[in-house]
Amino acid sequence: MDRFDFDSDRYKLNRGLAEMLKGGVIMDVTTPEQAIIAESAGAVAVMALERVPADIRRYGGVARMSDPKIIKRIKEAVSIPVMAKCRIGHFVEAQILEAIGVDFIDESEVLTPADEFCHIDKRKFKVPFVCGARNLGEALRRIAEGASMIRTKGEAGTGNVVEAVRHIRTIMGEIRRLQNMPEEELIIAAKEMGAPYELVLYVAKHGRLPVVNFAAGGIATPADAALVMQLGCDGVFVGSGIFKSENPEKRAKAIVMAVAYYNDPYVLAEVSEDLGEPMPGIEIEKLEEHYAERGW
Amino acid sequence: MKIGVLAFQGAVREHIDMLLKLGVLPIPVRKREDLKGISGLILPGGESTTIGKLLMDSGLKYDIIEMARDGLPIWGTCAGMILLAKHIVNQDYTYLDLMDIWVRRNAYGSQIDSFIKRVPVSPISNSPLELTFIRAPYVEKVGENVEVILELDGKIVAVREGKLLATAFHPELTEDLSFHKYFLELIKN
């Protein structure tokens, strides 16, 4: 494929799968047992990992793709889609994940980047990709590379929603700005954002990204999940927030309810009750490493 | 005319946009009171385990079953087909138990096996329609009162039983309104 083909059947199917996840919660899991808990709590998909981001932070070192055996065991345990992470730019890890039949690949800044210049050319794959973004330019560059879904980066493994909120507000604000621009200024906006002009035109016309946009990075409570939904996200990734909390099963169910009823404070109050301790949170200023700064 | 769209999760916006194009009033359904006054209900594509669980937790399940028995037309796409089935061959529980069909979940494999076919669907359109199968189910067997609308490569992918309609594919992901028009006709007749 030598140019961006928005209307190819494969890209339609892959964007379509992401559309089917809208209004849902995607949960990080490290074992088949956790995957089953996530599925029965109502997760729309699971992210199969060796370590959740909070542990990746704690252990340090180079974080890589998980052992394919772990991913395959999780795939056997559940019927919902299974996602897995590869390093930014590591297209061979992506080839391996495609070969074992994962349903979605997350080219993720939570793992240590393998390439400091290029992301993966995702158009070369049949399997869909989700990528992180902090702003509209970054989101549109990832879509131009073939991403079928975007998520905010937030700051993974912190249990602190502040960065996810910053990234959602930035992307939504930039979309609203494009919508209000006279057409002749859009090419300048494309230049400034480092984003393809065709995609800038799409966003200006439709008032949203051409793919779904989830929130990720720091969501720990049902209220956090409803907050990012009310800010305009299509769904939620919860990484460490569930299985690093005191009562994962109850919290997982509560977050699923909170996303389905994100506009209903009475339901939100009900599901927020008596969940036990959330994961411990970290202030962003105290972080040694900001994962959100990874990616280009 | 008001048409409900079960709005927990999945391709809700797409169905709502298509109903608006056809000049009917879409009602997103999340609570029992949202079901009041609707003439038909669409169960969108999404994850059947998630939607099925929320049907139960919200108390909507038994209201919908009762309304279907009183003749409410219901159309399920993909996950919606699974929700409607009385039999799910690779799962030991069911959801709304309304249609006498034997459904296989994720019948075609994982996402890389998802596909698009363009074929005419005889009662609905003579020109080819774009049929989008995403981690789709199909029907292995139907009961005697079920009409098979479409078979594709030997697999049953669209069925009707009285006022209940189920498609394994996603007309809501295309630009074509034929299936939505067909469902509205089903409601009117």
Side-chain angles (χ1 to χ4, degrees):
Chain A
M1 198 187 299
D2 48 24
R3 70 177 297 276
F4 184 70
D5 184 4
F6 200 74
D7 293 319
S8 74
D9 280 2
R10 184 36 60 181
Y11 197 40
K12 269 191 209 169
L13 288 165
N14 286 346
R15 277 181 288 147
L17 175 59
E19 299 287 354
M20 295 308 142
L21 303 174
K22 283 197 304 262
V25 183
I26 299 164
M27 302 181 191
D28 278 7
V29 298
T30 56
T31 63
E33 293 73 31
Q34 288 185 355
I36 291 165
I37 291 173
E39 182 176 50
S40 51
V44 288
V46 290
M47 179 75 71
L49 290 164
E50 260 179 77
R51 283 179 188 157
V52 296
D55 287 335
I56 292 175
R57 271 190 197 282
R58 201 144 60 92
Y59 290 105
V62 175
R64 310 178 180 90
M65 174 188 81
S66 300
D67 184 334
K69 191 174 173 185
I70 293 178
I71 299 167
K72 279 158 81 177
R73 285 180 54 216
I74 289 171
K75 217 174 119 61
E76 280 160 21
V78 293
S79 65
I80 54 179
V82 174
M83 302 186 168
K85 289 184 195 289
C86 72
R87 286 179 263 177
I88 288 174
H90 206 315
F91 50 85
V92 174
E93 284 187 350
Q95 289 164 7
I96 292 169
L97 293 175
E98 183 174 67
I100 62 173
V102 303
D103 295 294
F104 233 107
I105 296 176
D106 183 2
E107 187 186 17
S108 176
E109 70 283 358
V110 171
L111 305 183
T112 312
D115 188 326
E116 295 200 332
F117 297 98
C118 293
H119 282 250
I120 295 170
D121 183 358
K122 294 166 271 289
R123 301 168 303 171
K124 288 184 177 151
F125 290 79
K126 274 183 91 177
V127 64
F129 282 75
V130 53
C131 288
R134 287 166 301 175
N135 54 52
L136 186 57
E138 210 174 356
L140 296 182
R141 285 195 294 282
R142 298 295 85 80
I143 295 167
E145 291 158 0
S148 299
M149 178 178 187
I150 293 295
R151 56 170 176 76
T152 60
K153 286 181 175 171
E155 199 53 65
T158 62
N160 189 341
V161 78
V162 67
E163 292 300 302
V165 169
R166 187 196 315 281
H167 300 157
I168 299 162
R169 285 214 183 270
T170 303
I171 292 174
M172 297 299 172
E174 287 174 311
I175 291 174
R176 285 188 289 268
R177 203 176 131 250
L178 288 186
Q179 280 183 285
N180 289 321
M181 257 181 204
E183 229 170 281
E184 68 272 18
E185 288 178 18
L186 291 172
I187 187 120
I188 307 302
K191 180 186 133 191
E192 283 168 359
M193 283 193 287
Y197 181 52
E198 289 78 11
L199 293 177
V200 169
L201 287 180
Y202 180 96
V203 172
K205 185 176 168 199
H206 295 89
R208 56 181 164 87
L209 296 179
V211 302
V212 302
N213 183 22
F214 271 47
I219 292 151
T221 68
D224 288 349
L227 172 69
V228 295
M229 291 299 288
Q230 288 194 26
L231 286 170
C233 282
D234 294 312
V236 171
F237 283 86
V238 186
S240 321
I242 289 170
F243 289 99
K244 284 287 166 189
S245 74
E246 192 184 335
N247 190 340
E249 204 169 338
K250 199 165 178 192
R251 187 166 291 268
K253 284 182 186 162
I255 293 178
V256 168
M257 285 297 273
V259 170
Y261 292 96
Y262 68 91
N263 259 332
D264 189 330
Y266 296 99
V267 175
L268 297 175
E270 206 177 299
V271 302
S272 298
E273 225 170 84
D274 202 20
L275 294 179
E277 279 295 307
M279 71 176 283
I282 312 174
E283 284 175 62
I284 303 300
E285 304 84 74
K286 301 213 169 115
L287 288 181
E288 283 176 19
E289 198 149 14
H290 293 242
Y291 293 161
E293 287 165 11
R294 296 166 166 178
W296 352 105
Chain B
M1 183 163 59
K2 291 181 185 173
I3 307 291
V5 180
L6 190 65
F8 292 132
Q9 190 272 312
V12 179
R13 183 178 67 208
E14 288 82 352
H15 276 297
I16 286 179
D17 287 350
M18 291 188 122
L19 292 172
L20 285 171
K21 279 184 195 160
L22 290 169
V24 295
L25 183 62
I27 306 289
V29 173
R30 291 187 189 85
K31 298 195 145 186
R32 302 175 68 177
E33 52 267 34
D34 300 330
L35 290 167
K36 277 188 195 128
I38 58 170
S39 311
L41 177 66
I42 293 178
L43 312 176
E47 275 307 315
S48 59
T49 50
T50 308
I51 303 174
K53 184 182 178 298
L54 289 164
L55 270 177
M56 200 64 185
D57 293 351
S58 62
L60 279 177
K61 177 177 168 176
Y62 295 103
D63 291 15
I64 294 174
I65 291 173
E66 211 181 296
M67 289 169 82
R69 290 196 178 136
D70 290 342
L72 179 77
I74 305 179
W75 172 24
T77 59
C78 193
M81 172 186 257
I82 297 163
L83 297 175
L84 287 169
K86 278 186 183 168
H87 322 270
I88 304 173
V89 296
N90 49 347
Q91 180 171 300
D92 49 17
Y93 54 94
T94 53
Y95 302 97
L96 297 170
D97 267 332
L98 290 169
M99 288 185 83
D100 200 11
I101 52 178
W102 278 256
V103 169
R104 179 174 288 278
R105 289 189 56 194
N106 295 343
Y108 295 93
S110 60
Q111 174 60 7
I112 53 171
D113 306 303
S114 294
F115 60 96
I116 294 179
K117 276 267 166 90
R118 292 167 182 84
V119 292
V121 183
S122 62
I124 291 156
S125 167
N126 293 323
S127 53
L129 292 176
E130 188 173 299
L131 309 179
T132 309
F133 293 81
I134 298 177
R135 287 172 44 90
Y138 59 66
V139 176
E140 289 192 345
K141 198 166 87 169
V142 299
E144 52 182 302
N145 296 319
V146 178
E147 175 200 347
V148 173
I149 296 175
L150 181 67
E151 237 183 271
L152 204 62
D153 304 325
K155 316 279 195 270
I156 300 165
V157 293
V159 288
R160 188 176 72 91
E161 182 175 0
K163 294 273 183 190
L164 304 173
L165 175 67
T167 56
F169 44 88
H170 296 279
E172 75 274 19
L173 287 183
T174 69
E175 301 289 315
D176 194 289
L177 295 168
S178 308
F179 273 94
H180 288 77
K181 283 182 190 157
Y182 178 77
F183 183 56
L184 294 185
E185 286 304 313
L186 198 67
I187 294 172
K188 285 174 196 155
N189 297 333

